[in-house]
Amino acid sequence: MRISIPISAFVAAIVGFGGTLAVVIAAAKAVGATQAETASWVTAVCVAMAIECLWLSWRTKIPIITAWSTPGLALMAASSGFTMADAVGAFIVTSLMLIATGLFKPLTQLISRIPASVASGMLAGIVVTFALNAVKTIPVDPWLILPLIAAFFVIRLFNPALSVLAVLIGGGIAAFLTGRVGGLPAPELSTLTLIAPHFSAAAVIGLALPLYLVTMASQNLSGLAVLRAAGYHPEPGPLIGVTGLFSLLSAPFGGSTTNLAAISAAICTGPDVHPDPAERWKTGPFYALAYLIFAVFGASLVAIFAVLPQSLIVLVAGLALMGSLANALSIALKDEDQRMAATVTFVVTASGLTLFGVGAAFWGLVAGLVVLFLEAVKKR
């Protein structure tokens, strides 16, 4: 087995966990969660992700990577007037809707018929923001960032996956040695807390339904696009249904909705992981292992990532996705007849447009499909 497989999985887990953990904490604060409930929230989600990634990757022999619903958490963080009990009730309702979606074949068949050019255009629009943000870290801390970028491209000549890990480890060491980081926090084990749910019409309409919509539109569709862009064509229904099931099991402990990942999956599904697509599924078990570690030491890891420079985390995420961006753009623009649709998809997705609480990935997909439809009508 190539060393690039576990390295890619661990980098994806670290980038996904560290890069969006602040959104989880913000959502927990918005619903009035205590420190123990917040720790339980993080632990429950990590356990759910570990089990579903391990099972789905082994079962399908495809690198199925899951994540928490970052757009959904951002939506919760902007909400007001809800309690933690309301949130748990909303998580349960959302999970049931995801399970129903997984069982409803016409919807999953519709999702699986998305053209590769449009799917790749959406993926490129998702990851390009991370690449641009990585460049923007240069003026923030040039003496730390520029040497790391140079090291990345030099090491990449010999081992692409190792180059990202080298930036993460080297950057962390450099940040500590140069006084950019304070002292390390003391180790602390995470715990689970059972939280009684509260169901209300206000929470279902204000939390559960929007959470379901953004999870499907901005997360699951993007996750399926990543897999399609990498050459995998799994049946969407079982994947969505399983993530809904484990979301339901983790909800009583405060765990928010889990779903197919896009950014983390892009790191685990590209050619840098392994030249043979049939071997890339092995990133799933290593990704699961990383999240089991996060589940045990979640509280300590939160503190560690909190003291690292934010510019370093942003840089690692952007560099890790450079290869995926190049691959997605090449697929999106390959077919001349679908090039305009793919470009429109890319532009709308990259814009960050949000309408009616639904993110840009969904609207980019809609825009691309509309352009394809109009061009098909013209040909007829």
Side-chain angles (χ1 to χ4, degrees):
M1 183 180 65
R2 291 194 173 207
I3 189 64
S4 57
I5 290 177
I7 288 176
S8 297
F10 288 137
V11 168
I14 290 170
V15 170
F17 183 86
T20 59
L21 187 60
V23 185
V24 178
I25 296 173
K29 288 182 178 179
V31 295
T34 65
Q35 184 173 351
E37 290 171 339
T38 303
S40 179
W41 184 329
V42 173
T43 302
V45 175
C46 288
V47 171
M49 289 167 56
I51 297 174
E52 62 197 18
C53 281
L54 180 63
W55 167 253
L56 288 172
S57 295
W58 175 80
R59 182 71 175 175
T60 64
K61 295 300 185 288
I62 294 174
I64 305 297
I65 304 300
T66 63
W68 44 49
S69 178
T70 304
L73 291 169
L75 184 145
M76 290 189 65
S79 66
S80 60
F82 297 108
T83 65
M84 187 61 191
D86 291 327
V88 172
F91 295 156
I92 292 174
V93 173
T94 302
S95 301
L96 293 173
M97 288 191 285
L98 288 172
I99 293 172
T101 301
L103 297 175
F104 187 54
K105 272 198 169 184
L107 178 59
T108 56
Q109 288 172 350
L110 179 65
I111 294 173
S112 66
R113 294 175 62 184
I114 298 173
S117 59
V118 174
S120 297
M122 183 168 65
L123 172 59
I126 294 168
V127 301
V128 71
T129 302
F130 287 81
L132 293 174
N133 288 340
V135 176
K136 293 177 182 179
T137 61
I138 295 175
V140 176
D141 196 347
W143 295 107
L144 175 66
I145 300 301
L146 284 174
L148 293 175
I149 293 177
F152 169 79
F153 284 105
V154 171
I155 298 173
R156 180 178 170 78
L157 297 175
F158 307 98
N159 192 313
L162 184 60
S163 62
V164 178
L165 188 62
V167 169
L168 180 61
I169 296 176
I173 294 174
F176 278 106
L177 294 179
T178 56
R180 289 173 170 83
V181 179
L184 287 173
E188 182 180 353
L189 295 178
S190 300
T191 58
L192 286 173
T193 302
L194 192 62
I195 304 168
H198 177 255
F199 300 96
S200 67
V204 170
I205 298 172
L207 284 181
L209 184 58
L211 178 58
Y212 167 76
L213 291 175
V214 298
T215 298
M216 282 299 303
S218 300
Q219 293 290 121
N220 282 330
L221 284 179
S222 301
L224 289 169
V226 170
L227 292 172
R228 287 177 59 82
Y232 301 103
H233 302 277
E235 185 70 26
L239 305 185
I240 296 171
V242 167
T243 58
L245 174 61
F246 281 101
S247 296
L248 180 63
L249 295 176
S250 64
F253 301 100
S256 54
T257 307
T258 58
N259 44 248
L260 298 177
I263 303 304
S264 300
I267 299 175
C268 295
T269 57
D272 289 347
V273 175
H274 197 287
D276 184 1
E279 292 293 316
R280 297 174 197 165
W281 73 270
K282 296 175 183 176
T283 55
F286 286 105
Y287 185 86
L289 175 61
Y291 268 92
L292 284 177
I293 296 173
F294 294 156
V296 175
F297 300 103
S300 296
L301 290 167
V302 169
I304 292 175
F305 275 97
V307 300
L308 286 175
Q310 182 62 25
S311 57
L312 175 61
I313 301 300
V314 173
L315 176 68
V316 171
L319 294 180
L321 293 167
M322 287 289 186
S324 298
L325 174 60
N327 187 54
L329 286 173
S330 65
I331 296 174
L333 302 176
K334 184 178 180 180
D335 190 338
E336 186 175 352
D337 292 338
Q338 299 182 358
R339 192 168 294 169
M340 180 56 70
T343 302
V344 170
T345 304
F346 168 74
V347 171
V348 175
T349 303
S351 71
L353 172 70
T354 299
L355 287 175
F356 313 113
V358 179
F362 174 75
W363 297 118
L365 174 65
V366 171
L369 292 177
V370 168
V371 173
L372 276 181
F373 173 76
L374 294 175
E375 292 182 348
V377 171
K378 178 184 176 182
K379 289 179 181 179
R380 290 173 188 169

